[in-house]
Amino acid sequence: MSTILVTGGAGYIGSHTSVELLNADNKVIVLDNLSNSSKVSVAAVQRLTNRDVEFIEGDIRNEDFLTDLLRAHKVDSVLHFAGLKAVGESVAQPLRYYDNNVQGTMCLLRAMQASSARNLVFSSSATVYGDPATVPITEDFPTGATNPYGQSKLMVEEILQDFHAAVKDTGEWGISILRYFNPVGAHISGQIGEDPNGIPNNLMPYISQVAVGKLPYLSVFGNDYATRDGTGVRDYIHVVDLAKGHLRALENLQRGPKLAIHNLGTGTGYSVLETLKAFEQASGKTIDYQFAQRRPGDIAECYANPERALKELGWQAEFGIERMCEDAWRWQSQYPDGFAS
């Protein structure tokens, strides 16, 4: 049994990944500062798995606290989700993003060095590819972010690669960098899902909140992209598929220390309007929308070539856009106000 620290584990992806880790008989410790999450999700994870989870409220930028935590619990592996993640917000608040995402990860690495934790799975993003010249995107594509959020993820990736080069001769360290495309959906139970604070920054929770009556209409940012219907095209991946990808990535590190980089996506791109129509089908609701100007930092089209993950991790996405929308609607309709419902 591994003892795993899940930073940001009360959040959307962290909570779903905790379910998969617990179902695989790992011991899970959740660390979260609750800046964009809820302790209620941790309780729901315990109910879904019938397993105990230790929840610790704290911030990854508190290095001494983090070191003590890793030592006291004899943590061997860390899954690192504790990051700010909204493109538009990062453009308006770049210092906040660099402080949390970059400085926070450096504190975590130093704390791991001072303890016995030697496996790290890092939550990165397809935004590190910037505006790709072609699609689908493979892991060897050039990187270069178009916004501070993506830049913060890219900086952390570079730090991790430099760090691994410095410690690889010890034969101890395993680092997995997972470049997510667009996580959506919810656990099939409807008991955990995406619960953003305030107005959602991502498409699916925004559509969900329009469908449930919390928001009047969806703003579609840009209808003049060079795509099949003029709206942005993205690779949406079910959050449960994504969570299972983390389990495969951790198992890959446990087979032998290495540095690994993998895309986690479906390999299929859907436009904003296609996603909206799929959600209407799943929910039986009509989603009002209005076109608006493009947002700074957005790109036209982004979807993965996920073949490396299949070859090296034995992982591939199982669920399509219909299932993603069905599960997202089940969560939102049961919990219209998220965990505060």
Side-chain angles (χ1 to χ4, degrees):
M1 178 189 290
S2 290
T3 300
I4 301 168
L5 177 68
V6 182
T7 72
Y12 175 45
I13 302 170
S15 60
H16 286 82
T17 303
S18 293
V19 169
E20 300 303 323
L21 291 170
L22 290 163
N23 285 339
D25 202 32
N26 295 290
K27 180 181 179 181
V28 170
I29 301 158
V30 166
L31 172 69
D32 205 298
N33 68 3
L34 303 179
S35 63
N36 191 29
S37 57
S38 171
K39 284 193 289 188
V40 177
S41 72
V42 180
V45 166
Q46 292 184 109
R47 288 197 307 274
L48 289 169
T49 60
N50 197 30
R51 297 282 300 274
D52 289 333
V53 176
E54 181 160 0
F55 172 75
I56 299 170
E57 185 172 350
D59 197 293
I60 57 168
R61 290 166 292 185
N62 187 337
E63 187 177 326
D64 290 341
F65 159 78
L66 207 50
T67 301
D68 290 343
L69 187 164
L70 292 169
R71 287 173 172 170
H73 292 274
K74 296 182 173 59
V75 170
D76 54 75
S77 303
V78 178
L79 270 60
H80 181 28
F81 300 99
L84 300 173
K85 62 177 185 176
V87 168
E89 185 181 67
S90 78
V91 174
Q93 302 176 42
L95 297 184
R96 182 170 171 244
Y97 271 66
Y98 292 126
D99 179 47
N100 188 93
N101 294 2
V102 181
Q103 179 61 21
T105 303
M106 290 183 66
C107 289
L108 175 60
L109 284 170
R110 287 191 293 263
M112 290 178 69
Q113 271 193 302
S115 69
S116 58
R118 290 293 181 268
N119 289 323
L120 175 66
V121 180
F122 173 60
S123 166
S124 192
S125 166
T127 57
V128 302
Y129 294 115
D131 193 351
T134 60
V135 285
I137 298 166
T138 61
E139 289 85 350
D140 57 2
F141 268 37
T143 54
T146 61
N147 54 72
Y149 163 66
Q151 185 63 29
S152 74
K153 291 294 189 181
L154 185 53
M155 289 171 72
V156 170
E157 286 199 13
E158 291 169 348
I159 290 166
L160 291 175
Q161 291 178 69
D162 288 345
F163 175 71
H164 189 266
V167 299
K168 67 179 180 180
D169 288 345
T170 66
E172 296 178 344
W173 284 85
I175 296 176
S176 175
I177 296 170
L178 298 180
R179 294 172 175 166
Y180 308 168
F181 280 69
N182 293 74
V184 297
H187 191 272
I188 192 170
S189 67
Q191 298 300 299
I192 54 174
E194 190 165 9
D195 183 24
N197 287 341
I199 302 298
N201 289 296
N202 297 322
L203 178 63
M204 188 71 80
Y206 206 112
I207 292 176
S208 299
Q209 292 193 16
V210 174
V212 85
K214 286 189 70 177
L215 295 171
Y217 61 88
L218 171 70
S219 292
V220 178
F221 297 106
N223 64 340
D224 58 350
Y225 287 108
T227 61
R228 50 188 171 267
D229 61 19
T231 65
V233 171
R234 299 292 183 268
D235 186 338
Y236 296 100
I237 176 174
H238 198 295
V239 67
V240 173
D241 279 333
L242 185 66
K244 290 176 180 176
H246 287 78
L247 190 58
R248 298 286 92 78
L250 180 59
E251 290 168 350
N252 184 45
L253 296 184
Q254 291 169 338
R255 286 192 289 269
K258 58 181 70 70
L259 174 71
I261 300 175
H262 294 95
N263 288 335
L264 293 186
T266 65
T268 301
Y270 294 94
S271 75
V272 173
L273 294 183
E274 288 168 342
T275 306
L276 184 150
K277 295 302 180 187
F279 200 94
E280 288 183 328
Q281 285 286 111
S283 65
K285 302 287 186 179
T286 299
I287 310 298
D288 291 330
Y289 67 93
Q290 297 180 5
F291 291 116
Q293 289 186 330
R294 297 183 183 188
R295 295 181 300 188
D298 275 351
I299 61 174
E301 198 166 18
C302 181
Y303 59 92
N305 179 330
E307 291 178 5
R308 182 189 286 183
L310 176 60
K311 180 181 177 181
E312 297 180 359
L313 305 181
W315 174 91
Q316 62 182 341
E318 296 179 30
F319 302 128
I321 193 71
E322 296 82 7
R323 174 65 181 273
M324 299 177 208
C325 292
E326 289 169 4
D327 289 346
W329 175 240
R330 185 180 300 108
W331 151 255
Q332 191 73 70
S333 58
Q334 290 182 184
Y335 294 90
D337 294 315
F339 290 112
S341 298

